[in-house]
Amino acid sequence: GGSVDRLNNTVATIQDEKTQLQEELEEANSKLGRAEADVKDISSMLSELSKALEDNQRNSDSTIAALRSEKEAIQSELTATKEALEQKSAELTQTKESQDNLRKESEIEGENLRKQLQETRAQLQILQDDIDDTTKSLE
């Protein structure tokens, strides 16, 4: 009868659904497999990227360190040059002051010599006058 047919139909339908579910499960499993492979690829790419970034950072750190030490070397050179120039400038100032002092001293010495010369001339004149007077009185 009819109920056996209905039962058979039901069993057939369930069997179809089971087969369909198994196909879907297999498809899902293969998708999962692909997804896992993708995740592995992405993960290894990320670790490579991370390593590259670390290398980059190390390189940039060493570049920065090199630039910093170069800058310090240049600064100390500039400081040394500046100090040397200041020293030279001080020496020149000192030399100029010495020259000025020598010039003043020689001006003073010249003035003294002129005065002495005038005094000597005056004394000679007095002597000359005395000699003239004596000569006149002897005549």
Side-chain angles (χ1 to χ4, degrees):
S3 74
V4 171
D5 286 345
R6 266 205 310 278
L7 196 58
N8 281 340
N9 276 345
T10 303
V11 168
T13 304
I14 288 171
Q15 213 97 42
D16 286 347
E17 283 177 5
K18 185 182 167 197
T19 304
Q20 199 178 340
L21 282 173
Q22 269 175 334
E23 284 170 7
E24 284 176 16
L25 181 62
E26 278 169 25
E27 198 181 329
N29 276 334
S30 92
K31 278 184 183 170
L32 184 63
R34 284 197 300 274
E36 281 171 351
D38 287 350
V39 166
K40 238 184 230 172
D41 288 350
I42 289 170
S43 170
S44 84
M45 278 162 58
L46 282 175
S47 85
E48 278 174 38
L49 188 61
S50 161
K51 189 179 170 303
L53 283 173
E54 280 172 21
D55 291 349
N56 218 2
Q57 185 64 50
R58 255 197 305 280
N59 288 342
S60 99
D61 285 351
S62 70
T63 301
I64 287 169
L67 285 173
R68 193 171 287 140
S69 72
E70 206 174 314
K71 176 186 163 207
E72 282 165 10
I74 289 169
Q75 273 179 332
S76 72
E77 222 173 291
L78 285 174
T79 303
T81 304
K82 178 173 166 273
E83 284 166 5
L85 285 172
E86 285 168 356
Q87 176 75 25
K88 204 36 115 184
S89 169
E91 284 170 18
L92 285 172
T93 302
Q94 221 169 358
T95 304
K96 187 179 174 295
E97 285 169 4
S98 310
Q99 287 172 343
D100 288 348
N101 290 339
L102 280 174
R103 194 169 36 76
K104 283 178 194 150
E105 283 172 22
S106 66
E107 281 171 10
I108 291 167
E109 220 169 302
E111 193 58 40
N112 289 341
L113 285 172
R114 268 194 297 281
K115 284 178 187 163
Q116 282 178 355
L117 191 59
Q118 283 174 346
E119 286 168 17
T120 307
R121 278 199 189 123
Q123 287 168 350
L124 281 172
Q125 191 59 52
I126 291 167
L127 278 174
Q128 189 64 53
D129 291 350
D130 284 352
I131 289 169
D132 288 350
D133 290 349
T134 307
T135 305
K136 275 184 190 150
S137 69
L138 288 174
E139 280 172 359

